[in-house]
Amino acid sequence: MDNEDIGRWLWFRSSVVTDLLGHRGFALKWYTAETGAICSASSYATHFGINSADLLTVYAYDIARLPPWEQHVWAAHNVAPDGKVSGELLSAQVKAQPASTHAVEEMFFGSMRMLEQGFRERFGVDLFSHDIDDESVMQQVSRFHSKDQASLLRLAKELVRAFSDRLNIRDLRKLSTHAEKEKLGSNKLLQDILSQKIGADKARQVFSEIAGAYDMRVGDAHPTGSKITDAIKLAGIDQSRSHLRQGEQLIHNFGRAVWYTGKYLFGQPGSHES
């Protein structure tokens, strides 16, 4: 990387995102798997890309045009260049060829909406007991909230809150054929409905990562070593990775399980195979 590049781009710790989101009127928006924008109260959208070192790279001009107080927040998270400028950000901003990838956060909400639609069309029931504003909840369901194990567990809680806690138990119970359906919780009821289509073992496999996230959520309230480790493992998270990437993996795996549930129940199109 030459000096010209270093002058044009700035590197920031990813913690700048949650810091900014803590201020009124800020929102996180995703464009691709690794790029997005922080939309500020001053109506500026500061584009960022996540690089291989888990740092946010931003075009220097995008920071320079912000109001001084916003620049000040960014400056507090500024670090020396480490790793290259995000490839996806370069593609979008320099080559004007945005990557055709999708953020795991958006895929989670998309999969949830598709499953909801499938239940409405096939069974004539509402999958969820109440609606949510995806954009608003997406501010909490974000890889950026995962900074250590405690916040990773809290992220699991947000995922469960957005999905499992909203499941319409009453109608799912009517669709379930399980002998003990009156005792089953929301995830288990949905798993049972899926098992009618693909068998109990395969349904358990599909739901394992949701079950892991659910156990992590419980761990947030009662953190005990081995149980949490087991839950994180069940959720399919590689603990050797950075907490940011573990958060991304948690959302990806949960969303993929939701997507597969829809695919097996309703043969839904689209791709979440990775």
Side-chain angles (χ1 to χ4, degrees):
M1 185 180 301
D2 56 32
N3 291 334
E4 191 184 348
D5 272 346
I6 290 175
R8 281 202 311 223
W9 301 93
L10 294 169
W11 280 250
F12 300 91
R13 284 187 296 272
S14 59
S15 51
V16 68
V17 176
T18 47
D19 195 347
L20 287 165
L21 291 179
H23 293 272
R24 191 185 179 93
F26 281 77
L28 169 63
K29 189 176 179 183
W30 289 100
Y31 297 132
T32 66
E34 301 285 341
T35 69
I38 300 291
C39 304
S40 77
S42 56
S43 75
Y44 282 112
T46 306
H47 294 229
F48 65 80
I50 306 168
N51 78 356
S52 57
D54 292 343
L55 294 175
L56 262 57
T57 53
V58 180
Y59 197 52
Y61 174 74
D62 287 344
I63 301 294
R65 67 192 181 133
L66 293 172
W69 79 267
E70 284 183 39
Q71 288 187 30
H72 190 72
V73 176
W74 281 93
H77 298 267
N78 185 221
V79 292
D82 182 8
K84 293 184 175 179
V85 174
S86 160
E88 288 194 359
L89 186 66
L90 280 174
S91 293
Q93 289 203 318
V94 179
K95 299 173 190 164
Q97 295 172 334
S100 57
T101 58
H102 300 279
V104 295
E105 290 84 351
E106 298 227 304
M107 291 200 289
F108 166 70
F109 284 92
S111 298
M112 202 158 57
R113 289 296 175 195
M114 274 169 43
L115 186 62
E116 181 179 33
Q117 191 182 341
F119 265 81
R120 201 169 284 137
E121 289 172 3
R122 180 70 56 89
F123 300 122
V125 301
D126 288 323
L127 176 62
F128 298 114
S129 55
H130 62 274
D131 204 11
I132 52 169
D133 175 31
D134 291 3
E135 208 165 297
S136 163
V137 176
M138 207 182 288
Q139 306 307 309
Q140 301 307 317
V141 176
S142 151
R143 69 191 83 172
F144 293 117
H145 287 289
S146 178
K147 299 168 185 176
D148 50 29
Q149 185 170 286
S151 51
L152 178 69
L153 298 179
R154 281 197 297 276
L155 177 57
K157 185 183 264 186
E158 293 297 338
L159 281 164
V160 168
R161 190 176 284 160
F163 182 75
S164 310
D165 288 354
R166 291 196 306 125
L167 289 171
N168 179 355
I169 290 183
R170 199 184 60 173
D171 283 345
L172 290 183
R173 214 161 254 156
K174 290 175 188 169
L175 295 171
S176 171
T177 55
H178 197 282
E180 297 186 334
K181 63 182 183 181
E182 295 304 321
K183 296 178 185 174
L184 296 183
S186 56
N187 286 336
K188 290 288 185 191
L189 284 168
L190 186 55
Q191 184 179 317
D192 178 60
I193 293 162
L194 180 61
S195 73
Q196 294 170 36
K197 194 86 184 258
I198 63 171
D201 288 346
K202 198 167 183 183
R204 193 181 304 113
Q205 200 181 338
V206 169
F207 264 78
S208 63
E209 289 165 341
I210 291 177
Y214 194 83
D215 290 348
M216 285 169 69
R217 191 275 302 252
V218 176
D220 175 45
H222 312 283
T224 54
S226 62
K227 276 191 176 175
I228 288 183
T229 306
D230 290 347
I232 291 171
K233 208 172 184 178
L234 189 59
I237 295 165
D238 178 358
Q239 286 193 277
S240 69
R241 302 181 78 187
S242 68
H243 283 102
L244 179 84
R245 295 299 175 188
Q246 287 182 45
E248 181 184 24
Q249 211 172 18
L250 171 66
I251 299 166
H252 171 274
N253 294 352
F254 199 118
R256 182 177 57 186
V258 173
W259 183 82
Y260 269 120
T261 302
K263 176 182 162 72
Y264 290 134
L265 279 175
F266 313 120
Q268 288 174 341
S271 68
H272 205 312
E273 304 275 356
S274 62

